[in-house]
Short mmCIF file of all heavy atoms in Angstrom, two decimals:
data_model
loop_
_atom_site.label_atom_id
_atom_site.label_comp_id
_atom_site.label_asym_id
_atom_site.label_seq_id
_atom_site.Cartn_x
_atom_site.Cartn_y
_atom_site.Cartn_z
N LEU B 70 2.41 194.10 -94.59
CA LEU B 70 1.74 195.28 -94.04
C LEU B 70 0.36 195.46 -94.67
O LEU B 70 -0.64 195.70 -93.98
CB LEU B 70 2.61 196.53 -94.29
CG LEU B 70 2.20 197.77 -93.49
CD1 LEU B 70 2.50 197.56 -92.02
CD2 LEU B 70 2.91 199.01 -94.02
N ILE B 71 0.30 195.30 -96.00
CA ILE B 71 -0.98 195.42 -96.69
C ILE B 71 -1.97 194.36 -96.15
O ILE B 71 -3.14 194.66 -95.91
CB ILE B 71 -0.78 195.22 -98.22
CG1 ILE B 71 0.05 196.37 -98.81
CG2 ILE B 71 -2.12 195.09 -98.93
CD1 ILE B 71 -0.69 197.66 -98.94
N HIS B 72 -1.47 193.14 -95.95
CA HIS B 72 -2.35 192.07 -95.43
C HIS B 72 -2.90 192.44 -94.05
O HIS B 72 -4.03 192.10 -93.72
CB HIS B 72 -1.59 190.75 -95.33
CG HIS B 72 -1.46 190.03 -96.65
ND1 HIS B 72 -2.43 190.07 -97.62
CD2 HIS B 72 -0.48 189.25 -97.16
CE1 HIS B 72 -2.06 189.35 -98.66
NE2 HIS B 72 -0.86 188.84 -98.41
N GLN B 73 -2.08 193.12 -93.25
CA GLN B 73 -2.58 193.52 -91.92
C GLN B 73 -3.63 194.60 -92.05
O GLN B 73 -4.63 194.60 -91.33
CB GLN B 73 -1.42 194.02 -91.05
CG GLN B 73 -0.47 192.91 -90.63
CD GLN B 73 0.75 193.46 -89.93
OE1 GLN B 73 0.67 193.93 -88.81
NE2 GLN B 73 1.89 193.43 -90.61
N VAL B 74 -3.42 195.51 -92.98
CA VAL B 74 -4.39 196.59 -93.16
C VAL B 74 -5.73 196.01 -93.65
O VAL B 74 -6.79 196.40 -93.18
CB VAL B 74 -3.86 197.66 -94.14
CG1 VAL B 74 -4.94 198.71 -94.39
CG2 VAL B 74 -2.60 198.30 -93.60
N SER B 75 -5.64 195.03 -94.57
CA SER B 75 -6.89 194.49 -95.13
C SER B 75 -7.54 193.48 -94.20
O SER B 75 -8.67 193.09 -94.41
CB SER B 75 -6.63 193.85 -96.49
OG SER B 75 -5.87 192.68 -96.34
N GLY B 76 -6.78 193.02 -93.17
CA GLY B 76 -7.36 192.09 -92.22
C GLY B 76 -7.07 190.65 -92.54
O GLY B 76 -7.53 189.75 -91.84
N HIS B 77 -6.28 190.39 -93.59
CA HIS B 77 -5.94 189.00 -93.90
C HIS B 77 -4.88 188.47 -92.94
O HIS B 77 -4.68 187.27 -92.83
CB HIS B 77 -5.48 188.89 -95.36
CG HIS B 77 -6.62 189.02 -96.34
ND1 HIS B 77 -7.16 190.24 -96.67
CD2 HIS B 77 -7.35 188.10 -97.01
CE1 HIS B 77 -8.17 190.05 -97.52
NE2 HIS B 77 -8.29 188.76 -97.74
N LEU B 78 -4.17 189.39 -92.25
CA LEU B 78 -3.24 189.00 -91.19
C LEU B 78 -3.56 189.85 -89.96
O LEU B 78 -3.96 191.01 -90.09
CB LEU B 78 -1.79 189.28 -91.59
CG LEU B 78 -0.98 188.21 -92.32
CD1 LEU B 78 0.39 188.75 -92.66
CD2 LEU B 78 -0.86 186.95 -91.49
N ARG B 79 -3.36 189.27 -88.78
CA ARG B 79 -3.64 190.00 -87.55
C ARG B 79 -2.34 190.54 -86.98
O ARG B 79 -1.41 189.76 -86.79
CB ARG B 79 -4.30 189.01 -86.56
CG ARG B 79 -4.91 189.60 -85.32
CD ARG B 79 -6.05 190.57 -85.56
NE ARG B 79 -7.19 190.10 -86.33
CZ ARG B 79 -8.24 189.50 -85.80
NH1 ARG B 79 -8.30 189.24 -84.53
NH2 ARG B 79 -9.27 189.14 -86.54
N PRO B 80 -2.21 191.86 -86.72
CA PRO B 80 -0.96 192.37 -86.14
C PRO B 80 -0.80 191.92 -84.70
O PRO B 80 -1.78 191.62 -84.02
CB PRO B 80 -1.12 193.88 -86.23
CG PRO B 80 -2.58 194.11 -86.27
CD PRO B 80 -3.19 192.92 -86.95
N ASP B 81 0.46 191.87 -84.22
CA ASP B 81 0.70 191.53 -82.82
C ASP B 81 0.40 192.72 -81.92
O ASP B 81 -0.05 192.57 -80.79
CB ASP B 81 2.17 191.10 -82.61
CG ASP B 81 2.52 189.88 -83.45
OD1 ASP B 81 1.61 189.09 -83.73
OD2 ASP B 81 3.70 189.74 -83.83
N ALA B 82 0.71 193.91 -82.42
CA ALA B 82 0.46 195.12 -81.64
C ALA B 82 0.21 196.27 -82.60
O ALA B 82 0.52 196.19 -83.79
CB ALA B 82 1.65 195.43 -80.74
N GLY B 83 -0.37 197.34 -82.08
CA GLY B 83 -0.62 198.51 -82.91
C GLY B 83 -2.09 198.66 -83.26
O GLY B 83 -2.92 197.85 -82.84
N ARG B 84 -2.39 199.73 -84.01
CA ARG B 84 -3.77 200.08 -84.25
C ARG B 84 -3.95 200.46 -85.71
O ARG B 84 -3.08 201.10 -86.30
CB ARG B 84 -4.13 201.27 -83.36
CG ARG B 84 -5.50 201.24 -82.73
CD ARG B 84 -5.66 202.46 -81.84
NE ARG B 84 -5.94 203.64 -82.67
CZ ARG B 84 -7.18 204.08 -82.91
NH1 ARG B 84 -8.21 203.50 -82.36
NH2 ARG B 84 -7.36 205.14 -83.66
N ILE B 85 -5.06 200.07 -86.28
CA ILE B 85 -5.39 200.46 -87.64
C ILE B 85 -6.73 201.19 -87.58
O ILE B 85 -7.70 200.66 -87.04
CB ILE B 85 -5.53 199.24 -88.56
CG1 ILE B 85 -4.25 198.41 -88.56
CG2 ILE B 85 -5.89 199.67 -89.98
CD1 ILE B 85 -4.44 197.01 -89.09
N ALA B 86 -6.77 202.39 -88.11
CA ALA B 86 -8.03 203.14 -88.10
C ALA B 86 -8.42 203.50 -89.52
O ALA B 86 -7.60 203.95 -90.32
CB ALA B 86 -7.89 204.41 -87.25
N LEU B 87 -9.69 203.28 -89.81
CA LEU B 87 -10.23 203.58 -91.13
C LEU B 87 -11.20 204.75 -90.94
O LEU B 87 -12.23 204.59 -90.29
CB LEU B 87 -10.95 202.34 -91.65
CG LEU B 87 -11.26 202.25 -93.14
CD1 LEU B 87 -9.98 202.30 -93.94
CD2 LEU B 87 -12.01 200.97 -93.42
N ALA B 88 -10.81 205.91 -91.46
CA ALA B 88 -11.61 207.13 -91.29
C ALA B 88 -12.01 207.31 -89.83
O ALA B 88 -13.16 207.59 -89.52
CB ALA B 88 -12.84 207.09 -92.18
N GLY B 89 -11.07 207.09 -88.93
CA GLY B 89 -11.32 207.32 -87.52
C GLY B 89 -11.88 206.13 -86.77
O GLY B 89 -11.93 206.13 -85.55
N THR B 90 -12.33 205.08 -87.49
CA THR B 90 -12.87 203.90 -86.83
C THR B 90 -11.77 202.86 -86.63
O THR B 90 -11.07 202.52 -87.57
CB THR B 90 -13.99 203.27 -87.68
OG1 THR B 90 -14.91 204.29 -88.04
CG2 THR B 90 -14.70 202.16 -86.93
N ASP B 91 -11.65 202.38 -85.40
CA ASP B 91 -10.64 201.35 -85.14
C ASP B 91 -11.09 200.03 -85.76
O ASP B 91 -12.14 199.49 -85.41
CB ASP B 91 -10.48 201.18 -83.62
CG ASP B 91 -9.32 200.25 -83.29
OD1 ASP B 91 -8.92 199.46 -84.17
OD2 ASP B 91 -8.81 200.32 -82.15
N VAL B 92 -10.30 199.51 -86.70
CA VAL B 92 -10.69 198.27 -87.36
C VAL B 92 -9.68 197.15 -87.07
O VAL B 92 -9.73 196.09 -87.69
CB VAL B 92 -10.79 198.46 -88.90
CG1 VAL B 92 -11.86 199.47 -89.24
CG2 VAL B 92 -9.46 198.86 -89.49
N THR B 93 -8.80 197.38 -86.11
CA THR B 93 -7.68 196.46 -85.88
C THR B 93 -8.13 195.01 -85.72
O THR B 93 -7.48 194.10 -86.21
CB THR B 93 -6.89 196.88 -84.62
OG1 THR B 93 -6.75 198.29 -84.63
CG2 THR B 93 -5.53 196.21 -84.58
N ALA B 94 -9.24 194.79 -85.02
CA ALA B 94 -9.66 193.42 -84.73
C ALA B 94 -10.74 192.92 -85.69
O ALA B 94 -11.29 191.85 -85.51
CB ALA B 94 -10.16 193.33 -83.29
N MET B 95 -11.04 193.72 -86.72
CA MET B 95 -12.16 193.35 -87.60
C MET B 95 -11.75 192.35 -88.68
O MET B 95 -10.64 192.36 -89.17
CB MET B 95 -12.66 194.61 -88.31
CG MET B 95 -13.79 195.28 -87.60
SD MET B 95 -14.37 196.63 -88.63
CE MET B 95 -15.14 197.64 -87.38
N ALA B 96 -12.70 191.47 -89.03
CA ALA B 96 -12.47 190.54 -90.14
C ALA B 96 -12.40 191.32 -91.45
O ALA B 96 -12.96 192.42 -91.54
CB ALA B 96 -13.60 189.51 -90.18
N PRO B 97 -11.73 190.76 -92.46
CA PRO B 97 -11.57 191.47 -93.74
C PRO B 97 -12.89 191.97 -94.32
O PRO B 97 -12.97 193.11 -94.79
CB PRO B 97 -10.95 190.41 -94.65
CG PRO B 97 -10.25 189.48 -93.74
CD PRO B 97 -11.02 189.48 -92.46
N HIS B 98 -13.94 191.13 -94.25
CA HIS B 98 -15.18 191.55 -94.91
C HIS B 98 -15.82 192.76 -94.24
O HIS B 98 -16.47 193.57 -94.88
CB HIS B 98 -16.16 190.38 -95.01
CG HIS B 98 -16.75 189.95 -93.71
ND1 HIS B 98 -16.18 188.98 -92.93
CD2 HIS B 98 -17.86 190.37 -93.06
CE1 HIS B 98 -16.93 188.81 -91.84
NE2 HIS B 98 -17.94 189.64 -91.90
N ARG B 99 -15.58 192.89 -92.91
CA ARG B 99 -16.17 194.04 -92.22
C ARG B 99 -15.42 195.32 -92.57
O ARG B 99 -16.01 196.39 -92.68
CB ARG B 99 -16.21 193.79 -90.72
CG ARG B 99 -17.04 192.54 -90.42
CD ARG B 99 -17.52 192.47 -89.00
NE ARG B 99 -17.96 193.73 -88.48
CZ ARG B 99 -17.77 194.11 -87.22
NH1 ARG B 99 -17.11 193.31 -86.39
NH2 ARG B 99 -18.22 195.27 -86.80
N ARG B 100 -14.09 195.20 -92.74
CA ARG B 100 -13.33 196.38 -93.17
C ARG B 100 -13.78 196.80 -94.56
O ARG B 100 -13.91 197.99 -94.86
CB ARG B 100 -11.83 196.06 -93.22
CG ARG B 100 -11.31 195.65 -91.86
CD ARG B 100 -9.85 195.28 -91.96
NE ARG B 100 -9.51 194.50 -90.77
CZ ARG B 100 -8.35 194.54 -90.14
NH1 ARG B 100 -7.37 195.27 -90.62
NH2 ARG B 100 -8.15 193.83 -89.07
N ALA B 101 -14.01 195.80 -95.42
CA ALA B 101 -14.44 196.11 -96.77
C ALA B 101 -15.76 196.88 -96.74
O ALA B 101 -15.95 197.84 -97.49
CB ALA B 101 -14.58 194.82 -97.58
N ARG B 102 -16.66 196.47 -95.84
CA ARG B 102 -17.95 197.16 -95.73
C ARG B 102 -17.77 198.61 -95.30
O ARG B 102 -18.62 199.45 -95.58
CB ARG B 102 -18.85 196.47 -94.71
CG ARG B 102 -19.22 195.06 -95.07
CD ARG B 102 -20.21 195.04 -96.21
NE ARG B 102 -20.66 193.69 -96.47
CZ ARG B 102 -21.66 193.10 -95.84
NH1 ARG B 102 -22.33 193.76 -94.94
NH2 ARG B 102 -22.00 191.87 -96.13
N LEU B 103 -16.66 198.89 -94.60
CA LEU B 103 -16.42 200.25 -94.16
C LEU B 103 -15.69 201.08 -95.21
O LEU B 103 -15.27 202.21 -94.94
CB LEU B 103 -15.60 200.24 -92.86
CG LEU B 103 -16.36 199.78 -91.62
CD1 LEU B 103 -15.43 199.72 -90.41
CD2 LEU B 103 -17.54 200.70 -91.33
N GLY B 104 -15.49 200.49 -96.40
CA GLY B 104 -14.92 201.29 -97.48
C GLY B 104 -13.45 201.02 -97.77
O GLY B 104 -12.77 201.88 -98.32
N LEU B 105 -12.98 199.83 -97.38
CA LEU B 105 -11.60 199.48 -97.69
C LEU B 105 -11.59 198.48 -98.85
O LEU B 105 -12.24 197.46 -98.79
CB LEU B 105 -10.93 198.84 -96.47
CG LEU B 105 -9.47 198.46 -96.61
CD1 LEU B 105 -8.60 199.71 -96.65
CD2 LEU B 105 -9.03 197.55 -95.47
N SER B 106 -10.85 198.82 -99.92
CA SER B 106 -10.75 197.93 -101.06
C SER B 106 -9.29 197.58 -101.27
O SER B 106 -8.42 198.33 -100.84
CB SER B 106 -11.25 198.63 -102.33
OG SER B 106 -12.54 198.22 -102.64
N ARG B 107 -9.04 196.47 -101.94
CA ARG B 107 -7.64 196.16 -102.20
C ARG B 107 -7.48 195.34 -103.48
O ARG B 107 -8.42 194.72 -103.95
CB ARG B 107 -7.00 195.38 -101.04
CG ARG B 107 -7.54 193.98 -100.88
CD ARG B 107 -6.66 193.16 -99.93
NE ARG B 107 -5.34 192.93 -100.51
CZ ARG B 107 -4.40 192.21 -99.93
NH1 ARG B 107 -4.62 191.66 -98.75
NH2 ARG B 107 -3.23 192.01 -100.51
N THR B 108 -6.25 195.39 -104.02
CA THR B 108 -5.86 194.42 -105.03
C THR B 108 -4.76 193.57 -104.43
O THR B 108 -4.16 193.95 -103.44
CB THR B 108 -5.34 195.11 -106.30
OG1 THR B 108 -4.13 195.81 -105.98
CG2 THR B 108 -6.35 196.08 -106.87
N PHE B 109 -4.55 192.39 -105.03
CA PHE B 109 -3.54 191.49 -104.51
C PHE B 109 -2.31 191.50 -105.43
O PHE B 109 -2.42 191.78 -106.62
CB PHE B 109 -4.09 190.07 -104.41
CG PHE B 109 -5.12 189.88 -103.34
CD1 PHE B 109 -6.45 190.27 -103.54
CD2 PHE B 109 -4.79 189.32 -102.12
CE1 PHE B 109 -7.41 190.10 -102.56
CE2 PHE B 109 -5.75 189.15 -101.13
CZ PHE B 109 -7.05 189.53 -101.34
N GLN B 110 -1.17 191.17 -104.83
CA GLN B 110 0.06 191.12 -105.62
C GLN B 110 -0.07 190.09 -106.73
O GLN B 110 0.33 190.32 -107.86
CB GLN B 110 1.22 190.75 -104.69
CG GLN B 110 2.57 190.96 -105.33
CD GLN B 110 3.69 190.75 -104.32
OE1 GLN B 110 3.46 190.56 -103.13
NE2 GLN B 110 4.90 190.79 -104.80
N ILE B 111 -0.63 188.92 -106.38
CA ILE B 111 -0.94 187.93 -107.40
C ILE B 111 -2.41 188.11 -107.74
O ILE B 111 -3.28 187.98 -106.88
CB ILE B 111 -0.68 186.51 -106.88
CG1 ILE B 111 0.81 186.35 -106.60
CG2 ILE B 111 -1.18 185.47 -107.87
CD1 ILE B 111 1.16 185.21 -105.70
N THR B 112 -2.69 188.44 -108.99
CA THR B 112 -4.03 188.83 -109.40
C THR B 112 -5.09 187.90 -108.84
O THR B 112 -4.98 186.68 -108.93
CB THR B 112 -4.14 188.82 -110.93
OG1 THR B 112 -2.96 189.39 -111.45
CG2 THR B 112 -5.35 189.60 -111.38
N SER B 113 -6.12 188.48 -108.26
CA SER B 113 -7.14 187.70 -107.59
C SER B 113 -8.52 188.11 -108.08
O SER B 113 -9.05 189.12 -107.68
CB SER B 113 -7.01 187.92 -106.08
OG SER B 113 -8.00 187.21 -105.39
N VAL B 114 -9.06 187.29 -108.98
CA VAL B 114 -10.41 187.55 -109.49
C VAL B 114 -11.20 186.24 -109.39
O VAL B 114 -10.68 185.23 -108.93
CB VAL B 114 -10.37 188.04 -110.96
CG1 VAL B 114 -9.68 189.38 -111.05
CG2 VAL B 114 -9.68 187.01 -111.85
N ILE B 115 -12.47 186.27 -109.80
CA ILE B 115 -13.27 185.04 -109.80
C ILE B 115 -13.17 184.45 -111.20
O ILE B 115 -13.80 184.97 -112.13
CB ILE B 115 -14.75 185.35 -109.46
CG1 ILE B 115 -14.85 186.25 -108.21
CG2 ILE B 115 -15.54 184.06 -109.27
CD1 ILE B 115 -14.28 185.67 -106.94
N PRO B 116 -12.42 183.37 -111.39
CA PRO B 116 -12.04 182.95 -112.75
C PRO B 116 -13.21 182.56 -113.65
O PRO B 116 -13.20 182.90 -114.84
CB PRO B 116 -11.10 181.76 -112.51
CG PRO B 116 -11.24 181.38 -111.09
CD PRO B 116 -11.75 182.57 -110.35
N ALA B 117 -14.22 181.86 -113.12
CA ALA B 117 -15.28 181.37 -114.00
C ALA B 117 -16.33 182.44 -114.32
O ALA B 117 -17.15 182.26 -115.21
CB ALA B 117 -15.95 180.14 -113.38
N ALA B 118 -16.29 183.55 -113.60
CA ALA B 118 -17.27 184.61 -113.85
C ALA B 118 -16.74 185.56 -114.93
O ALA B 118 -15.53 185.73 -115.07
CB ALA B 118 -17.53 185.38 -112.55
N THR B 119 -17.64 186.16 -115.69
CA THR B 119 -17.21 187.11 -116.70
C THR B 119 -16.72 188.39 -116.02
O THR B 119 -16.92 188.59 -114.83
CB THR B 119 -18.38 187.50 -117.62
OG1 THR B 119 -19.36 188.19 -116.83
CG2 THR B 119 -19.02 186.29 -118.28
N ALA B 120 -16.07 189.24 -116.83
CA ALA B 120 -15.56 190.50 -116.29
C ALA B 120 -16.70 191.26 -115.61
O ALA B 120 -16.55 191.75 -114.49
CB ALA B 120 -14.95 191.33 -117.42
N ARG B 121 -17.83 191.32 -116.29
CA ARG B 121 -18.95 192.09 -115.73
C ARG B 121 -19.46 191.46 -114.43
O ARG B 121 -19.67 192.17 -113.45
CB ARG B 121 -20.09 192.17 -116.76
CG ARG B 121 -21.14 193.19 -116.36
CD ARG B 121 -22.51 192.89 -116.92
NE ARG B 121 -22.53 192.64 -118.35
CZ ARG B 121 -22.89 193.55 -119.26
NH1 ARG B 121 -23.22 194.77 -118.89
NH2 ARG B 121 -22.92 193.23 -120.53
N GLN B 122 -19.58 190.11 -114.44
CA GLN B 122 -20.06 189.45 -113.22
C GLN B 122 -19.11 189.69 -112.05
O GLN B 122 -19.53 189.84 -110.90
CB GLN B 122 -20.19 187.93 -113.45
CG GLN B 122 -21.39 187.56 -114.31
CD GLN B 122 -21.30 186.14 -114.83
OE1 GLN B 122 -20.24 185.52 -114.84
NE2 GLN B 122 -22.43 185.60 -115.27
N ASN B 123 -17.81 189.73 -112.37
CA ASN B 123 -16.83 190.00 -111.32
C ASN B 123 -17.10 191.36 -110.67
O ASN B 123 -17.07 191.48 -109.45
CB ASN B 123 -15.41 189.99 -111.90
CG ASN B 123 -14.72 188.64 -111.74
OD1 ASN B 123 -14.27 188.29 -110.66
ND2 ASN B 123 -14.66 187.87 -112.82
N VAL B 124 -17.34 192.34 -111.49
CA VAL B 124 -17.55 193.69 -110.94
C VAL B 124 -18.91 193.76 -110.23
O VAL B 124 -19.04 194.41 -109.19
CB VAL B 124 -17.43 194.77 -112.04
CG1 VAL B 124 -17.64 196.15 -111.45
CG2 VAL B 124 -16.07 194.67 -112.71
N VAL B 125 -19.91 193.07 -110.78
CA VAL B 125 -21.21 193.04 -110.11
C VAL B 125 -21.07 192.45 -108.70
O VAL B 125 -21.62 192.98 -107.73
CB VAL B 125 -22.24 192.24 -110.94
CG1 VAL B 125 -23.48 191.93 -110.10
CG2 VAL B 125 -22.63 193.01 -112.19
#
Side-chain angles (χ1 to χ4, degrees):
Chain B
L70 194 69
I71 293 286
H72 281 326
Q73 290 172 71
V74 176
S75 69
H77 287 78
L78 271 178
R79 191 62 57 89
D81 299 332
R84 220 178 78 95
I85 303 163
L87 197 60
T90 309
D91 187 339
V92 298
T93 318
M95 267 186 203
H98 70 269
R99 300 200 41 216
R100 300 177 198 215
R102 297 288 185 86
L103 288 176
L105 182 71
S106 259
R107 68 167 293 183
T108 65
F109 290 80
Q110 193 173 354
I111 295 161
T112 318
S113 178
V114 295
I115 312 299
T119 64
R121 193 207 309 260
Q122 286 165 342
N123 265 284
V124 180
V125 166

